Amino acid sequence: SAVISQKPSRDICQRGTSLTIQCQVDSQVTMMFWYRQQPGQSLTLIATANQGSEATYESGFVIDKFPISRPNLTFSTLTVSNMSPEDSSIYLCSAGYVSGQETQYFGPGTRLLVL
Amino acid sequence: SQQGEEDPQALSIQEGENATMNCSYKTSINNLQWYRQNSGRGLVHLILIRSNEREKHSGRLRVTLDTSKKSSSLLITASRAADTASYFCATARDFNKFYFGSGTKLNVKP
């Protein structure tokens, strides 16, 4: 299994600013993902963080708004850019080892409130 | 969207009773997994069932999968107050990309 930590655990930000969320895994993983969970809702996949190349974004999410980095096999960042109150959500990082068959492990999430 | 639906949206039971949650999805899958989330925190993996399996058990959990109906159910037997949480199913088709169901909020009253 993988143990995942995220920083910060929560933040309150002003609209128009940007926040970078860090995700650290305690072992090398094949896949890393970023999800958003809006208040009272389910999780929506934002993008797959690819090591050494540009992230793969899901429909409705774009790189200019959610730039993602993955410099190595244990670390990724998600930036929420030019924030608005609609970006208030929990952002979760997850990691997995093998494509198609295995469990994903989730971080504790970053709770973001945009005023 | 590949996201599935879960029902019921909310379920309230007494401690000791069984809780059943259902999940339906839209596309073919490699596997389906169930997760628990306490109070908007991170997700805890409960159980994975592969597309060629029909039933799986883990402790007090029993999961079934019917690929012809594109549905799954999670049964928690002899529930405890500590089982109070939101439960999500997640389907995987490509490279571990997960699509989550809408979730069931379970409240177990002591």
Side-chain angles (χ1 to χ4, degrees):
Chain A
S1 65
V3 177
I4 301 174
S5 59
Q6 285 184 234
K7 289 184 189 178
S9 58
R10 59 178 63 226
D11 207 341
I12 301 173
C13 301
Q14 298 297 317
R15 69 172 67 209
T17 63
S18 298
L19 176 72
T20 296
I21 302 168
Q22 298 180 4
C23 176
Q24 180 73 56
V25 189
D26 69 342
S27 59
Q28 292 186 345
V29 290
T30 310
M31 317 293 291
M32 292 183 76
F33 304 91
W34 287 96
Y35 291 84
R36 181 176 72 183
Q37 186 177 28
Q38 294 178 303
Q41 302 296 315
S42 185
L43 283 77
T44 300
L45 179 64
I46 297 172
T48 304
N50 300 309
Q51 195 263 327
S53 64
E54 195 171 283
T56 305
Y57 290 85
E58 295 297 301
S59 176
F61 297 96
V62 295
I63 188 171
D64 290 345
K65 177 67 175 176
F66 297 102
I68 288 170
S69 78
R70 190 177 171 195
N72 56 51
L73 293 176
T74 65
F75 185 78
S76 179
T77 66
L78 167 75
T79 299
V80 186
S81 302
N82 188 25
M83 288 184 284
S84 67
E86 291 72 33
D87 294 320
S88 297
S89 292
I90 299 172
Y91 291 86
L92 296 109
C93 162
S94 74
Y97 290 99
V98 176
S99 65
Q101 295 294 325
E102 294 297 326
T103 300
Q104 273 187 34
Y105 301 93
F106 282 80
T110 295
R111 192 181 293 267
L112 172 62
L113 177 62
V114 184
L115 302 177
Chain B
S1 167
Q2 293 184 347
Q3 284 193 329
E5 294 296 321
E6 290 181 59
D7 76 274
Q9 289 187 331
L11 179 60
S12 185
I13 59 175
Q14 292 292 140
E15 212 167 21
E17 294 180 338
N18 295 343
T20 300
M21 291 158 260
N22 303 296
C23 166
S24 60
Y25 56 92
K26 298 177 182 176
T27 65
S28 61
I29 61 172
N30 289 328
N31 64 63
L32 185 146
Q33 306 192 34
W34 286 89
Y35 286 83
R36 183 184 74 223
Q37 185 179 41
N38 290 87
S39 301
R41 301 186 65 83
L43 275 71
V44 174
H45 180 258
L46 296 177
I47 195 166
L48 177 154
I49 186 165
R50 295 193 166 90
S51 59
N52 61 352
E53 297 175 314
R54 291 297 167 258
E55 187 171 312
K56 211 160 179 184
H57 297 255
S58 177
R60 294 185 295 114
L61 305 180
R62 172 178 169 256
V63 168
T64 63
L65 179 64
D66 187 335
T67 52
S68 66
K69 295 182 179 178
K70 292 188 169 59
S71 68
S72 174
S73 68
L74 171 67
L75 168 67
I76 304 174
T77 60
S79 63
R80 306 166 182 168
D83 295 328
T84 294
S86 292
Y87 291 82
F88 295 92
C89 68
T91 54
R93 190 174 70 169
D94 299 323
F95 300 106
N96 263 353
K97 287 169 63 172
F98 278 19
Y99 298 96
F100 280 82
S102 51
T104 294
K105 285 188 178 179
L106 174 65
N107 179 34
V108 181
K109 293 177 281 189

